[in-house]
Amino acid sequence: MATDFAFPDTGAKSAAAVAAQEFQTEKMSLSMGPSHPSTHGVLRIQLELDGEIVTKADPVVGYLHRGDEKIAENMTYNQFVPYTDRLDYLAPLANNMAYAIAVERLAKLEVPARCQAIRVITAEMARISAHLLGLGAYGIDVGAWTVFLYAFTEREKLYKLFEELTGARFTTSYTRIGGVARDVPEGWTDRADAFCDQFLPILEQILNLLTRNKIFMDRTVDVGVISREDAIAYGLTGPNLRGSGVPLDLRKDKPYSGYEQYEFDVPVGAKGDCYDRYLVRGEEMRQSVRIIKQAIAKFPGGPWYATDAKKIFAPPKDKILTSMEELIQNFMLVTEGPQMPAGEVYFEAENPKGALGFYVVSKGGGVPWRLKIRAPSFCNLSILPKVCVGAMVSDVVSILGSLDFVMGECDR
Amino acid sequence: MDFFFQLPLWIQGAVKGLAVIAVLFPLAAACSMAERKISAWIQGRPGPNRTVVPWLAGIPIIIPFLQRLGVFQLAADGGKFVFKEDVVPGHVNKLYFIAAPILAMIPALSTITIVPFGAYFDSAGQLVPLVLANVDIGLLAVLAISSLGVYSVILAGWASNSKYPFLGSIRASAQLISYELSMTLSVLPVFLWVNAPGGQGTLSLFAVVQAQSGTGFFNGLWLGIWMPVSAFIFLVALFAETNRQPFDMAESEADLVGGFHTEYGAFKWSLFFVAEYAHMIVGSGVFTLLFLGGWNPLPWIPLTRVVHGLSHWISFAGHPLFMGVLGVLIFLGKVGFFIFFFMWIRWTLPRFRYDQIMKLGWQKLLPLAIGNLVFYALLIALIQK
């Protein structure tokens, strides 16, 4: 059907066409993920695009669901420790610690100072390792590959320390209820200290590649702005919340595992954009180094597990092999699990990705009746539909990188 | 040499064509090897250093050296591209899907014929450029043919009938067209300078090099020093035209998976790959000719003078072959530096966003190029008056 235009000149014609909404184009739907280079695992975002502008973003989660919470109901407390490795698999040591402290609070058990210090050191190392990966992956998302490989060189050094301490590089399963799997090896704290010393200048080098880089700032400043109110309303935690200017850090506000003894600052962002979140993570690594160095400087001696908790923590191996009472104790622990009183407890720890919470309900015995995991990545992702709208396709990638989530924890 | 020129024209053409393929493909391959090794050095890792042909592994020194350099890895990768199953997805437009990589190769292979890479004195004492086709429109032909490369990107994205390639090809084609403007405008001052009023005008790249091979202050000056803004704009536009980081909108693998070639694999993908490197080589070559004195070793010290000076010391330095080879080596050295520069940038900087690239192209580079053109037009008019 031909349209007759009353206007002779083309400018007026196109103006009329716009007025008649002739140029309004269709929106395109684009399924970003679950297998996509920048969705950090198996996140899928159903995007609705008007050209390059995102008009709607719908995160689809659950591709990595393994039913961890249900699994927990079918095994003893210690048997679940390896499953916590696989939540935020970039910081298994921090997950191990959060889980152990939750169950210990249920048992009203105090672990000795040495155990607390070991846990703090490992958790902060896990934080550095997780933030390094977040930084590197963020670098890739905005096109800077080299940052990723520099960060991985440092993570490799951390993995060497983890391997020496726990026997595993990746899935460490280091804590037990009431202690840790084994004491630190001879000289390990010195090597950890040496790592911290050489890490700081390298961290500056890595951050130098991005911090004042014009292209990086163009890609991140004022992109994905999360206001203070939104951050609180959507239940964001961790660096993403602090990036929006809320100085909430559970290590400071509700200290656990002896964090109150250490001096460190809580960095907060000013605007809540992708750049602020990047800066916060960078600064948190420096603060983690500070904490590790303090913990190593006053590393306490004494027992490294709760020696008085006979029904929770296994006795030393040499005692098991020589003494009847310890043999029975070990046998009961292995077969029935650590004995917990009936009750319920909720504990949140400041993990690299945010507040990782464990809600444990016990009816007594060695198996939790219900175990609920509050995954920070899951809550942090809930803001995607809000923050992605109006951004460009490339911005979605920046935003995803800056939120720094792990799908293993989100889908659990 | 005379024997060659007595052959029928079509045989000459065929030989030259084969020479292009025989030179450009290994060069592109060497570039991809260099890319992997240079990225490895920048990122503090060894890079490809394991692959070796089993029945050569016993040979000492030379084979371990090549192995560490990754030469065999390169050959294995090349072989993989050829022997891998060449899948054509069911949802594509077959004709255009297959035509796109071919179209990518055509401009890449054609433009190199126009780029001179050296010069020698023939028996009559005449300076003759080493070039496959010394056409008078020189740079115009390079720009015209290389801008056809955009069709391959558009076709690949369109024919793939898939969303990521579609977005990638739209971004890339908009980018390629935008930066061509600045690129063309940035080289105009060069030709204003080379073509003095009253003389015979030319766009030949050989003439540009000749204008930089004198010994006086102005005619020995490399244009990169004389027109730094032009050189800068040309270089930036070159990054955009070759789709290299930070302008690699065509790929931007972080958000568009693989950009316009997401659906491609095997040999067809490798054609895009080779074309990208070929563009880089030709682009670096043109930059060297325009702004860095071509095959002249240093500003104010032209190749002819070096050869003349050397002929006092070395008996065979007066031979045309010596000058030709020396010129080609110097030229390749400069081109090699720029290829390294391309890679250095790629592995250091993040990537722009699409709208930022357009903004940079239209709002920054284009006005700068126009201002630069006006400035040099006035300046040259003043100097030549």
Side-chain angles (χ1 to χ4, degrees):
Chain A
M1 197 176 78
T3 317
D4 281 331
F5 285 103
F7 312 101
D9 65 311
T10 48
K13 252 186 205 172
S14 58
V18 169
Q21 300 200 326
E22 209 166 272
F23 285 157
Q24 285 213 344
T25 48
E26 260 180 68
K27 284 181 181 165
M28 180 168 111
S29 80
L30 180 70
S31 183
M32 200 181 232
S35 96
H36 181 281
S38 326
T39 54
H40 298 207
V42 286
L43 173 66
R44 172 169 158 229
I45 313 171
Q46 191 62 43
L47 293 173
E48 191 185 82
L49 300 176
D50 181 11
E52 285 255 347
I53 311 283
V54 177
T55 53
K56 204 173 141 195
D58 217 355
V60 184
V61 298
Y63 286 91
L64 203 59
H65 178 64
R66 293 147 301 179
D68 278 352
E69 293 175 4
K70 194 69 192 167
I71 290 171
E73 294 168 16
N74 295 305
M75 54 180 55
T76 64
Y77 289 98
N78 272 334
Q79 281 174 331
F80 190 64
V81 171
Y83 286 87
T84 62
D85 289 340
R86 289 148 179 87
L87 290 173
D88 172 3
Y89 42 75
L90 303 175
L93 284 162
N95 305 340
N96 295 162
M97 165 167 137
Y99 172 70
I101 295 179
V103 181
E104 282 156 14
R105 295 234 165 143
L106 180 68
K108 303 205 170 49
L109 182 69
E110 275 292 315
V111 293
R114 186 179 175 88
C115 173
Q116 287 190 340
I118 296 174
R119 285 179 179 180
V120 165
I121 294 171
T122 54
E124 292 309 315
M125 282 184 158
R127 188 182 316 278
I128 294 176
S129 151
H131 280 355
L132 275 176
L133 187 122
L135 184 72
Y138 194 17
I140 291 187
D141 289 345
V142 295
W145 262 94
T146 301
V147 177
F148 179 79
L149 283 144
Y150 280 11
F152 255 67
T153 312
E154 293 313 296
R155 293 195 79 216
E156 180 62 33
K157 294 171 190 165
L158 277 172
Y159 273 161
K160 285 234 173 72
L161 290 171
F162 292 165
E163 187 181 13
E164 200 186 338
L165 179 66
T166 71
R169 289 156 56 84
F170 195 68
T171 49
T172 50
S173 309
Y174 184 50
T175 56
R176 298 289 178 270
I177 312 303
V180 288
R182 59 187 73 80
D183 195 11
V184 289
E186 187 74 35
W188 187 84
T189 47
D190 297 333
R191 285 187 285 280
D193 201 44
F195 166 80
C196 291
D197 287 336
Q198 62 86 45
F199 173 66
L200 279 179
I202 294 177
L203 177 66
E204 296 312 317
Q205 264 182 31
I206 298 174
L207 295 180
N208 259 345
L209 280 170
L210 294 176
T211 306
R212 304 307 296 175
N213 186 313
K214 181 79 174 80
I215 302 177
F216 180 73
M217 290 181 75
D218 281 350
R219 286 294 303 276
T220 54
V221 173
D222 289 328
V223 170
V225 181
I226 302 173
S227 71
R228 210 185 142 90
E229 292 73 31
D230 279 346
I232 296 169
Y234 280 83
L236 262 56
T237 44
N240 298 329
L241 178 69
R242 293 191 282 275
S244 295
V246 185
L248 177 86
D249 189 324
L250 295 170
R251 292 174 295 173
K252 272 255 190 268
D253 301 336
K254 287 184 191 167
Y256 52 90
S257 200
Y259 266 113
E260 63 278 356
Q261 316 161 30
Y262 308 115
E263 246 178 67
F264 61 98
D265 301 325
V266 178
V268 288
K271 268 193 289 195
D273 54 8
C274 292
Y275 188 62
D276 278 356
R277 290 193 280 279
Y278 155 80
L279 289 180
V280 165
R281 287 208 178 81
E283 184 57 33
E284 274 187 12
M285 281 191 262
R286 296 190 192 107
Q287 297 302 332
S288 290
V289 169
R290 251 176 97 187
I291 297 173
I292 295 173
K293 287 194 76 80
Q294 287 173 52
I296 289 174
K298 49 181 171 187
F299 195 58
W304 45 273
Y305 60 93
T307 40
D308 50 342
K310 300 260 188 244
K311 291 193 165 178
I312 292 177
F313 198 90
K317 195 73 179 174
D318 54 338
K319 290 261 181 66
I320 296 173
L321 297 177
T322 51
S323 144
M324 192 65 210
E325 191 190 343
E326 267 85 2
L327 178 64
I328 294 169
Q329 187 192 340
N330 185 61
F331 177 78
M332 293 307 286
L333 262 175
V334 170
T335 51
E336 312 231 306
Q339 295 303 303
M340 292 292 140
E344 56 182 66
V345 71
Y346 179 68
F347 172 73
E348 273 185 337
E350 186 65 38
N351 255 39
K353 311 287 175 206
L356 174 70
F358 287 95
Y359 178 57
V360 191
V361 181
S362 157
K363 294 198 162 178
V367 177
W369 188 75
R370 172 82 169 96
L371 189 140
K372 165 89 181 87
I373 303 164
R374 183 224 185 258
S377 296
F378 179 72
C379 301
N380 290 350
L381 277 180
S382 68
I383 201 159
L384 268 186
K386 181 163 178 95
V387 82
C388 283
V389 170
M392 303 190 77
V393 178
S394 311
D395 287 340
V396 173
V397 173
S398 303
I399 293 168
L400 288 181
S402 78
L403 287 177
D404 188 24
F405 53 90
V406 166
M407 290 317 282
E409 178 182 70
C410 175
D411 293 345
R412 57 200 184 279
Chain B
M1 223 42 184
D2 290 336
F3 165 73
F4 179 72
F5 289 116
Q6 280 153 13
L7 288 170
L9 272 182
W10 66 271
I11 294 185
Q12 283 188 33
V15 169
K16 283 177 175 176
L18 283 179
V20 166
I21 293 171
V23 170
L24 203 59
F25 266 78
L27 267 185
C31 279
S32 82
M33 190 176 88
E35 177 104 63
R36 298 181 67 168
K37 272 301 183 189
I38 288 169
S39 69
W41 290 332
I42 288 177
Q43 294 166 342
R45 56 190 171 87
N49 64 350
R50 304 279 176 85
T51 321
V52 69
V53 182
W55 53 86
L56 291 181
I59 303 170
I61 303 170
I62 180 83
I63 294 299
F65 174 72
L66 293 179
Q67 183 187 355
R68 274 206 294 281
L69 210 58
V71 172
F72 300 109
Q73 178 79 47
L74 178 79
D77 280 350
K80 182 196 75 176
F81 285 137
V82 176
F83 293 116
K84 203 172 154 177
E85 185 188 356
D86 202 354
V87 182
V88 178
H91 54 78
V92 302
N93 183 326
K94 250 191 192 166
L95 175 66
Y96 296 141
F97 189 79
I98 294 169
I102 300 171
L103 275 178
M105 285 308 292
I106 290 173
L109 291 179
S110 323
T111 42
I112 203 162
T113 57
I114 304 160
V115 176
F117 44 87
Y120 67 97
F121 283 109
D122 67 0
S123 48
Q126 200 72 25
L127 194 62
V128 181
L130 279 169
V131 61
L132 292 176
N134 188 20
V135 289
D136 202 36
I137 54 169
L139 186 74
L140 190 62
V142 172
L143 291 177
I145 298 172
S146 68
S147 67
L148 292 177
V150 72
Y151 283 105
S152 76
V153 176
I154 296 179
L155 271 186
W158 184 255
S160 291
N161 190 18
S162 163
K163 285 165 184 174
Y164 289 116
F166 174 67
L167 280 174
S169 77
I170 287 186
R171 284 184 189 182
S173 44
Q175 172 196 326
L176 291 178
I177 291 167
S178 310
Y179 278 78
E180 250 157 38
L181 270 174
S182 317
M183 189 182 228
T184 315
L185 284 177
S186 73
V187 295
L188 282 184
V190 171
F191 289 96
L192 282 180
W193 176 248
V194 171
N195 298 311
Q200 205 177 5
T202 175
L203 284 171
S204 154
L205 287 164
F206 180 59
V208 178
V209 177
Q210 281 310 97
Q212 299 174 67
S213 358
T215 48
F217 177 72
F218 270 126
N219 54 12
L221 191 62
W222 285 1
L223 294 176
I225 308 168
W226 175 217
M227 300 170 175
V229 181
S230 284
F232 173 73
I233 297 170
F234 189 83
L235 191 62
V236 173
L238 202 59
F239 271 95
E241 290 294 308
T242 48
N243 276 326
R244 292 289 292 189
Q245 185 107 319
F247 294 92
D248 62 340
M249 277 304 105
E251 280 186 49
S252 47
E253 82 279 336
D255 39 331
L256 296 185
V257 189
F260 69 97
H261 56 55
T262 306
E263 303 284 344
Y264 283 87
F267 193 66
K268 286 202 276 296
W269 183 84
S270 76
L271 284 184
F272 283 122
F273 186 71
V274 172
E276 184 187 318
Y277 282 111
H279 271 135
M280 235 165 76
I281 295 167
V282 175
S284 308
V286 171
F287 184 88
T288 306
L289 294 171
L290 287 177
F291 297 107
L292 284 186
W295 43 84
N296 293 313
L298 284 169
W300 298 293
I301 304 177
L303 180 66
T304 47
R305 188 151 171 193
V306 170
V307 171
H308 184 72
L310 278 180
S311 61
H312 294 301
W313 306 90
I314 314 167
S315 57
F316 57 82
H319 195 275
L321 199 62
F322 179 79
M323 181 170 167
V325 170
L326 188 64
V328 171
L329 286 182
I330 292 172
F331 180 72
L332 279 183
K334 291 179 185 176
V335 171
F337 170 76
F338 270 95
I339 288 170
F340 170 72
F341 184 71
F342 273 108
M343 293 171 184
W344 186 8
I345 294 285
R346 171 167 180 190
W347 297 107
T348 309
L349 292 184
R351 178 187 301 116
F352 281 116
R353 202 172 60 204
Y354 166 62
D355 61 322
Q356 288 162 350
I357 283 193
M358 299 314 264
K359 224 171 262 172
L360 184 72
W362 289 101
Q363 294 184 356
K364 306 254 169 73
L365 275 193
L366 188 62
L368 188 65
I370 293 172
N372 179 53
L373 173 61
V374 172
F375 174 76
Y376 277 103
L378 295 175
L379 192 67
I380 289 166
L382 272 177
I383 292 176
Q384 290 180 340
K385 200 165 169 187

